[in-house]
Amino acid sequence: MAGLVEKGLTRLGNELDTAKRLEAEAAFAAGHPDFAELKQSGRLTAIRRDNPLLDEVGAYFAAMLEREREAVAARLEEAASAAEKRTLESLRSRRLAATLGQGQGAVPDRGGDPELSEPGRFGGMNTVLARRLAARRAAAGN
């Protein structure tokens, strides 16, 4: 008789635990609308199969963490491509500015050089250019 009572109490305890667990799960699902969706899709079962230490709530949070990681990875990828685009655009504009300005290969500004703005006063254009060429050759050591 004691064994029968023991079995009955054990079964009643298990049913009570199951009822409490289902009640807690329903309360959790009410506060987390994605929970029911993930449970129906089988995602929670797959996560629990990969990690048997997790219950359904733990599997839910693991799924949410996975979603968040994917979202962060997508945002990082987007930010990296935007930064790369800005960098390339900056390099292009610098290169264009260097070719348009007074860079190394640019034609000198005649307004600032009196020999080139008024070559007649200095013996003519050919004389001015010949003097400049000789000065450059001397500076280069030729």
Side-chain angles (χ1 to χ4, degrees), residues 31-53:
H32 300 87
D34 295 345
F35 181 76
E37 174 191 327
L38 287 171
K39 188 173 182 178
Q40 288 175 356
S41 71
R43 183 70 185 128
L44 295 182
T45 306
I47 291 173
R48 289 182 70 195
R49 188 174 32 247
D50 292 342
N51 188 349
L53 297 176

Side-chain angles (χ1 to χ4, degrees), residues 16-127:
L16 187 59
D17 288 344
T18 303
K20 283 182 181 179
R21 191 174 79 315
L22 290 175
E23 184 180 320
E25 184 180 302
F28 182 80
H32 300 87
D34 295 345
F35 181 76
E37 174 191 327
L38 287 171
K39 188 173 182 178
Q40 288 175 356
S41 71
R43 183 70 185 128
L44 295 182
T45 306
I47 291 173
R48 289 182 70 195
R49 188 174 32 247
D50 292 342
N51 188 349
L53 297 176
L54 295 176
D55 60 351
E56 288 186 340
V57 174
Y60 168 79
F61 285 115
M64 292 296 103
L65 180 63
E66 187 178 307
R67 278 188 186 175
E68 186 63 28
R69 284 181 180 160
E70 289 171 359
V72 167
R75 288 194 305 257
L76 283 174
E77 183 67 31
E78 184 179 307
S81 74
E84 181 180 5
K85 184 178 178 182
R86 282 193 311 269
T87 302
L88 289 175
E89 205 50 47
S90 173
L91 289 174
R92 284 186 193 122
S93 65
R94 284 184 195 161
R95 192 175 312 133
L96 182 61
T99 58
L100 294 177
Q102 292 284 333
Q104 293 175 339
V107 177
D109 183 17
R110 290 180 176 227
D113 191 355
E115 286 184 336
L116 295 177
S117 62
E118 300 178 44
R121 286 184 38 205
F122 299 98
M125 183 61 80
N126 289 338
T127 307

